[in-house]
Amino acid sequence: MNMLPLILQTWVVMFLVISPTLFAASVSRVDSYSSARKRHLKEKVRKMFYHAYENYLTHAFPHDELKPLTKSFTDSLSELGNLKLEHLPQDYNGSALSLIESLSSLVIMGNNTEFERGVLWLSENLTFDVDARVNLFECNIRVLGGLVSAHILATDSANRLVQGSYNNQLLTLAEDLGRRFLPAFNTPTGLPYAWINLKDI
């Protein structure tokens, strides 16, 4: 039986002893780089979110959305496809859409103080009892969906919101809005209307 030369056996043994150490060091460097990159991207996303959120609050709140180039606003729920801006009451200021859409992100980022401030403002100021025609689809997925998803996150024990500071205010608003949607589904075809006046319930 041929045996490997002694020098080759020595090299094989050395390789088997040293390679796990080299491999572990290599993996450690990759993990370290990967962790640093994740932290960098996480911080970049956080900065981008707060840049958009703070500018919305400064230039457009409580309207629906910020127009960043002109630092003005749009009330897109009622203006979407409504170029003549018909069926808009003079005192309609939108539904604070961007605030509602930001609530879930605030919870995920752990900013419970800002989340609670937003919930307090919405519970004291937002009303859907307005004589305004809104786009049903957009209002459904963005306002109703935003309220419900933020409520679910707020009541998740893993998010550790301050005990007693959240009392289902978002769910109450969502239920009110959902009831206002119901007439839009009472149609001859069963397909909902594209627009609905929030006052008509």
Side-chain angles (χ1 to χ4, degrees):
M1 182 173 180
N2 289 336
M3 297 192 61
L4 292 172
L6 185 58
I7 187 75
L8 187 56
Q9 290 177 26
T10 304
W11 279 109
V12 168
V13 169
M14 286 179 59
F15 174 78
L16 292 174
V17 169
I18 294 173
S19 63
T21 306
L22 294 174
F23 181 72
S26 176
V27 168
S28 177
R29 281 195 299 275
V30 169
D31 286 348
S32 177
Y33 172 78
S34 178
S35 296
R37 178 152 174 76
K38 285 179 184 176
R39 283 193 303 273
H40 169 73
L41 292 174
K42 181 179 176 181
E43 187 57 29
K44 188 173 182 179
V45 168
R46 181 182 296 274
K47 285 180 180 176
M48 291 170 66
F49 169 79
Y50 281 112
H51 174 76
Y53 179 71
E54 289 164 6
N55 276 283
Y56 164 71
L57 291 180
T58 301
H59 301 291
F61 178 75
H63 295 276
D64 288 344
E65 294 164 334
L66 169 67
K67 290 183 173 180
L69 297 181
T70 59
K71 294 183 180 177
S72 59
F73 58 83
T74 179
D75 291 318
S76 62
L77 293 178
S78 57
E79 293 176 13
L80 182 70
N82 186 13
L83 300 180
K84 295 180 181 178
L85 301 183
E86 300 170 308
H87 313 289
L88 281 179
Q90 293 296 321
D91 59 345
Y92 180 66
N93 290 319
S95 301
L97 177 58
S98 290
L99 173 61
I100 293 169
E101 290 181 315
S102 298
L103 291 175
S104 295
S105 296
L106 291 169
V107 173
I108 290 168
M109 291 184 181
N111 192 339
N112 296 343
T113 303
E114 189 62 23
F115 173 82
E116 290 166 10
R117 191 169 78 101
V119 170
L120 181 63
W121 187 93
L122 291 168
S123 64
E124 292 179 350
N125 297 282
L126 182 62
T127 178
F128 298 117
D129 189 28
V130 290
D131 186 15
R133 191 184 74 159
V134 299
N135 184 277
L136 179 67
F137 176 77
E138 290 293 318
C139 199
N140 183 33
I141 64 170
R142 299 177 72 184
V143 181
L144 187 62
L147 291 169
V148 171
S149 63
H151 164 74
I152 291 170
L153 286 170
T155 54
D156 181 353
S157 60
N159 289 313
R160 300 185 306 279
L161 290 173
V162 177
Q163 291 297 319
S165 65
Y166 180 70
N167 295 309
N168 298 326
Q169 300 98 312
L170 300 177
L171 186 60
T172 301
L173 286 167
E175 182 182 12
D176 176 46
L177 181 59
R179 290 184 189 280
R180 293 173 189 278
F181 285 170
L182 293 179
F185 293 87
N186 187 18
T187 66
T189 62
L191 296 173
Y193 293 117
W195 298 87
I196 186 168
N197 191 310
L198 293 176
K199 193 82 172 177
D200 294 340
I201 60 168

